[in-house]
Amino acid sequence: MGLKKITFTRASVLTVLLLIFCVFFFSCAHNAGVADDITLEDGTVISALTLNGEEIYAVTFINDNGKDTYVVPDVVLDGKRIRVICEKALQEYSSIRTLIIQDNITDFEMDLYFNYPALESVYIGAGVNRITEMPFAHCPNLRQVTVDIRNEKYYSEDNFIIEKETGRIIAACAAWSKLPESASIIGGNSFCLLAQGEIAIPEHISRIEKNAFQGCEGLDAVYIPKSVTVIEENAFAGCGNAVIYCEVAQKPSGWDENWDNGVKNVVWGTNGR
């Protein structure tokens, strides 16, 4: 009985400590230190963090002040430079139409559940080396996405963001019309909520990752060529209104058992045309 009592007490102490830690811990999707907020002249709020061993600042709040264009500041204070845009920094229903991310930013995040109907153009600087999945899923009027040609990790083509090393589509935007010819992989969540009507997967695509077309209720038809040898789970989750035409006669071994989860109609052995 005494041993049980001691174990319970230790567990309680650990639980309290964990709660205290969660209350005071500020993450922004990284291991970060906590510091007081600083408000810049344009209303941007930044906080000090430790990112990969470097003392930096992260943008935690963007005050659009009714502006059409917002340029992420490049500021150095106390030897620390702004490097990160946190996911909730850009407020839902912001008036910003053009977002310019300068070279000082390395990490770019947008809230997965916030709506940005005003946003029409995004410029991503040379320094960005990490972009969260589905950054533009709730940007219905986004028409232009440009990545600086000096960026070592990403490039843009036909308003897509693509990873240089793999040819993987990281993000589409609402204005997409055809898949870029240089791409070979449709990345996870890259078309989330964005694909409508019909889409013909080109033959230079070999892989479709999980949740790639998640929630595309407006998708009517998808044409998948035999060049696609891998489709991961839930690639078309939430696309219940679509008919998927597969050129292969039966499911290839590289297609997950739940690749078509939620799809009501799959037609094999045809390109549907």
Side-chain angles (χ1 to χ4, degrees):
M1 293 295 291
L3 179 59
K4 290 182 179 179
K5 183 175 181 180
I6 293 172
T7 302
F8 176 77
T9 302
R10 287 178 177 174
S12 299
V13 172
L14 288 173
T15 300
V16 171
L17 289 174
L18 180 60
L19 289 172
I20 293 173
F21 178 79
C22 290
V23 169
F24 289 98
F25 180 75
F26 174 72
S27 155
C28 189
H30 302 287
N31 292 326
V34 180
D36 294 335
D37 291 341
I38 297 174
T39 302
L40 304 179
E41 290 183 5
D42 67 350
T44 299
V45 178
I46 60 175
S47 296
L49 307 177
T50 301
L51 174 62
N52 299 326
E54 179 187 3
E55 295 293 325
I56 66 156
Y57 280 110
V59 176
T60 57
F61 177 77
I62 294 173
N63 186 354
D64 57 41
N65 292 318
K67 294 181 291 188
D68 285 346
T69 300
Y70 177 79
V71 180
V72 179
D74 185 359
V75 175
V76 178
L77 296 173
D78 300 324
K80 296 186 284 287
R81 195 177 186 185
I82 298 176
R83 293 293 192 189
V84 175
I85 303 174
C86 291
E87 64 174 354
K88 296 185 185 298
L90 185 59
Q91 301 301 292
E92 188 168 27
Y93 298 109
S94 167
S95 66
I96 293 172
R97 298 173 61 185
T98 299
L99 176 63
I100 299 174
I101 300 171
Q102 299 197 81
D103 294 347
N104 56 302
I105 298 298
T106 60
D107 285 46
F108 168 46
E109 305 178 6
M110 290 182 70
D111 193 280
L112 303 183
Y113 304 103
F114 280 10
N115 291 291
Y116 306 104
L119 193 61
E120 297 177 354
S121 175
V122 175
Y123 173 84
I124 297 173
V128 173
N129 58 40
R130 192 183 76 89
I131 300 173
T132 54
E133 287 191 352
M134 48 188 290
F136 308 132
H138 295 281
C139 304
N141 297 305
L142 186 60
R143 295 290 178 266
Q144 184 176 21
V145 177
T146 304
V147 178
D148 192 293
I149 60 174
R150 297 170 298 142
N151 191 294
E152 296 182 355
K153 186 166 184 179
Y154 303 111
Y155 67 97
S156 54
E157 181 180 339
D158 297 328
N159 297 310
F160 287 85
I161 299 176
I162 305 169
E163 194 173 52
K164 286 185 175 181
E165 184 176 352
T166 62
R168 177 176 178 262
I169 295 174
I170 300 298
C173 80
W176 77 274
S177 58
K178 65 175 183 177
L179 272 71
E181 295 183 1
S182 63
S184 58
I185 300 171
I186 298 178
N189 285 303
S190 56
F191 279 86
C192 180
L193 305 179
L194 295 172
Q196 299 183 39
E198 298 185 358
I199 178 170
I201 307 296
E203 292 185 354
H204 53 77
I205 297 295
S206 62
R207 185 185 192 99
I208 302 175
E209 295 183 347
K210 63 180 180 180
N211 302 317
F213 293 92
Q214 178 182 193
C216 296
E217 297 178 354
L219 199 57
D220 298 322
V222 181
Y223 306 96
I224 304 178
K226 58 185 178 182
S227 63
V228 178
T229 57
V230 175
I231 302 182
E232 298 180 0
E233 61 180 319
N234 298 319
F236 296 93
C239 302
N241 298 320
V243 178
I244 298 183
Y245 298 93
C246 305
E247 188 175 10
V248 292
Q250 59 185 1
K251 185 183 80 64
S253 59
W255 294 21
D256 188 86
E257 291 296 331
N258 294 313
W259 73 273
D260 59 344
N261 187 21
V263 177
K264 299 175 184 177
N265 197 349
V266 176
V267 182
W268 298 96
T270 178
N271 61 12
R273 297 183 174 184

